[in-house]
Amino acid sequence: MKEIQIRQMIVITDGKSNVGGNPVTAASEAAAEGIIVNAIGIVNHQSDEDDSLYEVEQIAKAGGGIWQYSTIKDLGRTMCAVTQKTVNQSIHAIVGEQLREIIGGDIEDIPPESRGAVIDYMEKLEEEAHVLCCIVIDCSGSMKSKMHTARESILDLMRSLQARKGKSQVAVIAYPGENGNPTKRISGFTENIAELREKIFKLKAGGTTPTAAAICEGIRLLRNHGEDELQEEIQGEGLFKENVI
């Protein structure tokens, strides 16, 4: 069985894009390349309904992902939950496709006595899939008071991913960048939490909110990372087919 690789982007912002194109269109382009775009809108209170963050929902819908509002205090927990849900949904979609090829139906069409083995198989894949998580973080002026907690939240996600059996790598893109650049690549994909901790202290707040440019940079980063390995194929080598037919 070939390694399953799940490519996702998490866009984190506390406001609406205000320069440099349409982030919803950029998220659609990511989805067309098999990249899941999730989005988290930072609010002051969980009950807040900020119209400026409506864009968060639209980005996630266009990118085939999940959207959530979160206080800055709960950002780390929210990122972990969103990532886990993305992995689960991706595995369900992959296995569901294989089931339709093998039996012409879904998991509900499998006899109850065989269904448990398939569920166990899916849980194993969820734990062992290779996760590539590109964090695209708003560093505009409005984020200045939130940067310390945002940095710690990224490390919280990294620790959570390291508890998995499968390979998990995190990259970080900041927007805007420096010297008039719309983005800055803070870190390429890494499993090294000490290396990531050192690099994310380069995150500084100030400037505009070019969300579309940041998503496009995330696409480039994910596209160039192991592109030849992105088409997953689950064959099960006997065990999977034995338990679903």
Side-chain angles (χ1 to χ4, degrees), residues 138-151:
D138 178 358
C139 292
S140 60
S142 60
M143 285 287 292
K144 188 171 184 179
S145 65
K146 304 163 188 168
M147 291 312 301
H148 174 74
T149 305
R151 294 186 196 103

Side-chain angles (χ1 to χ4, degrees), residues 157-231:
L157 174 62
M158 186 74 155
R159 294 184 191 100
S160 173
L161 289 171
Q162 287 185 336
R164 303 174 63 255
K165 289 183 180 178
K167 188 175 183 179
S168 300
Q169 295 173 283
V170 172
V172 181
I173 294 170
Y175 68 100
E178 299 171 342
N179 301 319
N181 294 313
T183 68
K184 180 177 181 179
R185 187 178 299 184
I186 300 298
S187 173
F189 285 104
T190 182
E191 298 175 84
N192 188 323
I193 193 167
E195 174 186 321
L196 185 64
R197 181 186 289 110
E198 181 178 347
K199 288 183 175 181
I200 61 174
F201 277 97
K202 297 176 184 176
L203 288 169
K204 306 293 182 183
T208 55
T209 313
T211 311
I215 293 173
C216 290
E217 179 63 18
I219 293 172
R220 284 189 286 271
L221 186 58
L222 284 156
R223 182 192 292 147
N224 294 332
H225 188 87
E227 192 171 19
D228 293 338
E229 302 174 1
L230 299 178
Q231 297 301 320

Side-chain angles (χ1 to χ4, degrees), residues 8-238:
Q8 72 156 346
M9 200 182 304
I10 304 179
V11 178
I12 301 167
T13 183
D14 69 345
K16 189 176 181 180
S17 174
N18 55 23
V19 66
N22 188 337
V24 177
T25 301
S28 295
E29 293 171 359
E33 295 198 27
I35 298 168
I36 300 164
V37 182
N38 301 311
I40 298 174
I42 299 174
V43 295
N44 291 327
H45 303 284
Q46 285 287 11
S47 59
D48 283 357
E49 298 203 6
D50 189 340
D51 289 341
S52 69
L53 290 174
Y54 176 68
E55 187 177 75
V56 165
E57 179 180 351
Q58 299 307 304
I59 289 170
K61 285 182 176 179
I66 300 158
W67 65 276
Q68 292 282 340
Y69 288 161
S70 173
T71 62
I72 187 64
K73 181 182 70 172
D74 292 329
L75 179 59
R77 189 183 312 159
T78 303
M79 283 198 291
C80 293
V82 164
T83 299
Q84 185 58 51
K85 192 177 291 187
T86 297
V87 172
N88 293 348
Q89 291 182 353
S90 298
I91 296 299
H92 280 242
I94 292 167
V95 174
E97 183 179 344
Q98 293 297 314
L99 286 173
R100 286 188 287 276
E101 290 180 4
I102 295 169
I103 67 172
D106 298 314
I107 191 168
E108 292 78 10
D109 301 310
I110 300 173
E113 62 271 17
S114 300
R115 197 175 299 160
V118 177
I119 292 172
D120 290 344
Y121 182 70
M122 291 168 69
E123 290 177 350
K124 182 175 184 290
L125 292 178
E126 289 169 7
E127 182 65 17
E128 296 181 356
H130 178 184
V131 175
L132 286 169
C133 181
C134 179
I135 298 170
V136 179
I137 185 163
D138 178 358
C139 292
S140 60
S142 60
M143 285 287 292
K144 188 171 184 179
S145 65
K146 304 163 188 168
M147 291 312 301
H148 174 74
T149 305
R151 294 186 196 103
E152 292 301 320
S153 298
I154 293 169
L155 297 177
D156 286 345
L157 174 62
M158 186 74 155
R159 294 184 191 100
S160 173
L161 289 171
Q162 287 185 336
R164 303 174 63 255
K165 289 183 180 178
K167 188 175 183 179
S168 300
Q169 295 173 283
V170 172
V172 181
I173 294 170
Y175 68 100
E178 299 171 342
N179 301 319
N181 294 313
T183 68
K184 180 177 181 179
R185 187 178 299 184
I186 300 298
S187 173
F189 285 104
T190 182
E191 298 175 84
N192 188 323
I193 193 167
E195 174 186 321
L196 185 64
R197 181 186 289 110
E198 181 178 347
K199 288 183 175 181
I200 61 174
F201 277 97
K202 297 176 184 176
L203 288 169
K204 306 293 182 183
T208 55
T209 313
T211 311
I215 293 173
C216 290
E217 179 63 18
I219 293 172
R220 284 189 286 271
L221 186 58
L222 284 156
R223 182 192 292 147
N224 294 332
H225 188 87
E227 192 171 19
D228 293 338
E229 302 174 1
L230 299 178
Q231 297 301 320
E232 298 92 10
E233 180 183 352
I234 302 176
Q235 297 183 2
E237 305 303 333

